[in-house]
Amino acid sequence: FYISYLNPHKIILFMKIAVIGTGYVGLVQGAALADVNHSVICVDKIKEKIIHLNEFCEGKRNDLPILEPDLPRLVKENNDKKRLIFTTDINQAVREAKVIFIAVGTPSNEDGSANLTHVKNVAQDIGRAMNYESDSPIYKIIVTKSTVPPMTYRMVHDTIAKETKNEFDIVSNPEFLAEGRAVKDCLRPSRIVIGTSNAKAASIMEELYEPFKSREVSILFMSNIDAEMVKYASNTYLAAQVSLTNAMANLSRELGADWRKVLEGVKKDIRVGRFVYPGLGFGGSCFPKDVRELIHTMEQHRPDSDDLSYVKMIVRQNEAQKGMFLPRMEKYFSGFEGKKFAIWGTTFKPETNDVRESAGVHMIKELLLKGAYVSVYEPSGSEQAMFTLSLDEKLKPHLSRLSFVSDMYEAVRNAEGLLITVEWNDFRNPDFLQVKNLLKKPVIFDGKDILNPRQMKEEGFDYFSVGRPDVLGYSQ
Ligand code: NAD
């Protein structure tokens, strides 16, 4: 046992835990559980990933497969203390662990439904791995950490039950971490949701999460279906807030109002949330996919309702928002064919190397398809962006017009204009003189409204943002 540093009055018994899937959720959650003294085995089916993680722990390389602030320290320290290990061997992990987390990806299918192939495969593997020889009765708790549509717990249960006669319970325990602050979010979660109708499983999960509990962090117990629904409802609320913000910011700009000023007034109402800063729409691995999956569920249960149209509109607004600069750029530059544009940023937000469904990748694609040359500077996710773009068959004939460079100023050399898609700190206050001298014409399209319009005018730039009127510091 040990004494929880988060709650010094509690004595905690450590548990043996397996986490299947070492992506953004599995790796961070595994490291956070090890950090409170649980003994964690992380499993991934990709051998190279496990080799990468082990080489990092042995000091043979400096980077982890994913970029998250503070994660390298957490992984290294807990591996050194022998309570966080990495393997491809799911059988060993299941044999040793009392609680097994499923943290594999659930990408969208073409029709918007969640692709549960990975979850199902892991459930099968877990069931098979539970058939080992043991002197005592075998009992496991299988925790669904992956975001899965309501009712998936039944599929996980039935899949495992087909493979084993041993006893187990399914707990639905959605994850609410946000990339870029995943370690903080896991160590001090906003809430811990435990979905199960089984008292024994609930009590073991409470014990497991006890070190994370505090006055501010409560454990919420509910049924599996409630817990599965919490995750979709939370992300749809947040996505709706982003799309509504962008709709309001777009209108402000058209009317000649300044969204930053409007916001000062709006934000004084504490009922308004955090996602009130305009941008080129939401991206990443969660909001777009989770809202699509919720739509798919609504199509089955409430097909003709306005509720469904309402949620669908969140996605439509967002898709339009990602490309909202295109007509404005087309007009300003009189077309794209043969012209070179610079893009800063391809990740969906700062402090991550995740480029899934990002505005940066979307704009690269659009500009290439319209015949432009594109020069990109990306602080952390260039490999991921190049890989993602290389998978798009339509883009193949156009990729020769795309270059990634390792210097943000090099990217703007001889470009017609600069487009900023994400708010990395380096982009907030660049050397404007250098940018101006390197660009063919001093023009910036700021997709996160991070630059100051007055300063842009003084520096002699034409400047276009999301939620503020256009500034013509060069053309006029
Ligand atoms: P990811 O794609 O980064 O990682 C998934 C990992 O699972 C990969 O390393 C993959 O190799 C591994 N995997 C797949 N099948 C496997 C198998 N059969 N055996 C072992 N390993 C296997 O995904 P992620 O971003 O970590 O997301 C995981 C889940 O958590 C998704 O359902 C997602 O919606 C949800 N989620 C993600 C976030 C986030 O910010 N990324 C936040 C909350 C919830």
Side-chain angles (χ1 to χ4, degrees):
F1 70 88
Y2 88 118
I3 305 216
S4 162
Y5 69 93
L6 293 174
N7 189 347
H9 306 294
K10 292 268 178 199
I11 291 177
I12 313 291
L13 292 173
F14 82 84
M15 263 181 228
K16 283 237 167 189
I17 296 168
V19 179
I20 321 294
T22 59
Y24 289 86
V25 168
L27 183 58
V28 182
Q29 187 63 52
L33 289 166
D35 204 49
V36 295
N37 214 29
H38 291 307
S39 175
V40 181
I41 309 182
C42 285
V43 183
D44 207 286
K45 66 171 183 182
I46 300 179
K47 203 165 136 204
E48 295 73 36
K49 219 176 216 186
I50 295 301
I51 293 174
H52 188 149
L53 287 161
N54 282 327
E55 284 183 351
F56 169 81
C57 293
E58 289 157 17
K60 290 185 187 155
R61 60 189 303 162
N62 297 325
D63 62 325
L64 287 170
I66 58 169
L67 180 77
E68 271 301 331
D70 209 26
L71 187 59
R73 177 196 66 77
L74 206 68
V75 169
K76 183 83 181 70
E77 275 180 17
N78 286 291
N79 179 267
D80 285 349
K81 289 178 183 156
K82 309 220 174 330
R83 51 193 191 203
L84 178 65
I85 61 166
F86 301 100
T87 178
T88 51
D89 186 353
I90 193 167
N91 293 317
Q92 177 209 348
V94 169
R95 209 167 37 242
E96 291 186 14
K98 179 173 187 175
V99 180
I100 301 150
F101 284 80
I102 301 178
V104 295
T106 49
S108 296
N109 288 318
E110 286 278 304
D111 64 356
S113 61
N115 181 338
L116 296 175
T117 315
H118 298 308
V119 174
K120 194 169 177 144
N121 289 345
V122 172
Q124 241 163 15
D125 290 346
I126 293 172
R128 286 177 194 148
M130 281 173 63
N131 298 325
Y132 57 89
E133 295 289 319
S134 166
D135 296 338
S136 47
I138 293 171
Y139 169 72
K140 307 281 177 190
I141 293 182
I142 322 300
V143 182
T144 320
K145 214 6 117 194
S146 300
T147 301
V148 290
M151 306 305 277
T152 303
Y153 73 98
R154 284 201 188 156
M155 178 278 276
V156 176
H157 179 277
D158 295 350
T159 306
I160 298 176
K162 268 194 199 140
E163 303 294 338
T164 186
K165 294 273 168 290
N166 285 316
E167 203 196 331
F168 65 92
D169 282 304
I170 306 291
V171 172
S172 305
N173 170 222
E175 179 53 56
F176 301 100
L177 67 80
E179 284 178 30
R181 44 168 298 135
V183 169
K184 268 192 214 151
D185 285 350
C186 273
L187 290 176
R188 294 195 184 271
S190 53
R191 70 285 209 197
I192 296 163
V193 170
I194 299 199
T196 175
S197 36
N198 181 284
K200 179 171 160 191
S203 134
I204 293 173
M205 290 304 290
E206 182 171 26
E207 206 181 301
L208 181 144
Y209 276 121
E210 188 66 48
F212 297 94
K213 231 165 93 179
S214 68
R215 202 177 308 152
E216 296 81 37
V217 183
S218 42
I219 301 185
L220 310 173
F221 294 95
M222 56 189 78
S223 68
N224 291 82
I225 183 89
D226 291 342
E228 288 174 334
M229 194 57 205
V230 168
K231 177 66 190 172
Y232 278 98
S234 296
N235 274 0
T236 305
Y237 266 99
L238 297 175
Q241 211 183 100
V242 176
S243 74
L244 186 60
T245 292
N246 286 329
M248 293 297 111
N250 291 338
L251 179 64
S252 294
R253 181 190 70 245
E254 291 294 329
L255 293 172
D258 179 338
W259 179 248
R260 277 181 321 172
K261 283 282 158 205
V262 177
L263 199 54
E264 280 175 25
V266 174
K267 276 201 80 174
K268 284 288 171 211
D269 188 329
I270 55 162
R271 292 168 302 177
V272 175
R274 268 178 52 203
F275 283 179
V276 285
Y277 299 99
L280 299 179
F282 52 77
S285 69
C286 293
F287 288 5
K289 158 178 98 65
D290 295 352
V291 180
R292 275 197 302 265
E293 290 171 12
L294 184 86
I295 288 171
H296 191 264
T297 305
M298 289 176 93
E299 275 166 347
Q300 289 165 332
H301 296 274
R302 303 189 45 71
D304 300 317
S305 64
D306 285 338
D307 308 354
L308 173 60
S309 317
Y310 174 71
V311 179
K312 276 185 170 172
M313 202 48 78
I314 297 171
V315 174
R316 272 182 62 183
Q317 196 290 333
N318 195 58
E319 267 151 25
Q321 192 70 18
K322 277 191 188 161
M324 58 89 74
F325 275 146
L326 284 166
R328 294 163 75 192
M329 287 174 80
E330 184 156 30
K331 187 166 165 217
Y332 183 88
F333 297 109
S334 310
F336 298 105
E337 185 81 36
K339 294 178 181 154
K340 176 179 165 182
F341 297 92
I343 293 189
W344 281 356
T346 59
T347 54
F348 80 98
K349 60 151 102 168
E351 307 297 337
T352 179
N353 57 354
D354 195 341
V355 303
R356 288 178 277 190
E357 307 214 24
S358 74
V361 167
H362 178 84
M363 283 303 288
I364 293 173
K365 279 188 190 173
E366 288 292 328
L367 290 172
L368 288 176
L369 290 173
K370 289 180 189 310
Y373 288 77
V374 183
S375 169
V376 184
Y377 169 70
E378 162 52 54
S380 76
S382 46
E383 259 176 52
Q384 286 80 353
M386 279 189 271
F387 179 70
T388 306
L389 291 161
S390 72
L391 295 178
D392 190 329
E393 283 299 321
K394 256 195 324 193
L395 274 186
K396 291 232 155 99
H398 304 276
L399 286 178
S400 57
R401 282 184 274 107
L402 170 67
S403 56
F404 277 82
V405 295
S406 55
D407 178 88
M408 61 195 266
Y409 298 104
E410 197 46 43
V412 298
R413 188 184 293 280
N414 291 327
E416 303 282 333
L418 164 65
L419 167 63
I420 301 173
T421 67
V422 57
E423 67 277 32
W424 282 93
N425 274 343
D426 283 355
F427 305 163
R428 288 178 184 276
N429 192 21
D431 177 345
F432 287 113
L433 189 62
Q434 228 190 122
V435 174
K436 195 172 164 182
N437 289 339
L438 288 166
L439 280 171
K440 269 195 180 163
K441 241 200 224 174
V443 50
I444 298 180
F445 282 78
D446 176 359
K448 288 305 284 189
D449 288 15
I450 51 176
L451 304 180
N452 181 329
R454 189 156 7 109
Q455 187 188 2
M456 290 295 90
K457 183 149 197 153
E458 284 162 14
E459 301 272 0
F461 281 87
D462 284 354
Y463 173 73
F464 303 93
S465 58
V466 180
R468 288 138 344 150
D470 298 346
V471 168
L472 297 178
Y474 167 76
S475 311
Q476 275 183 3

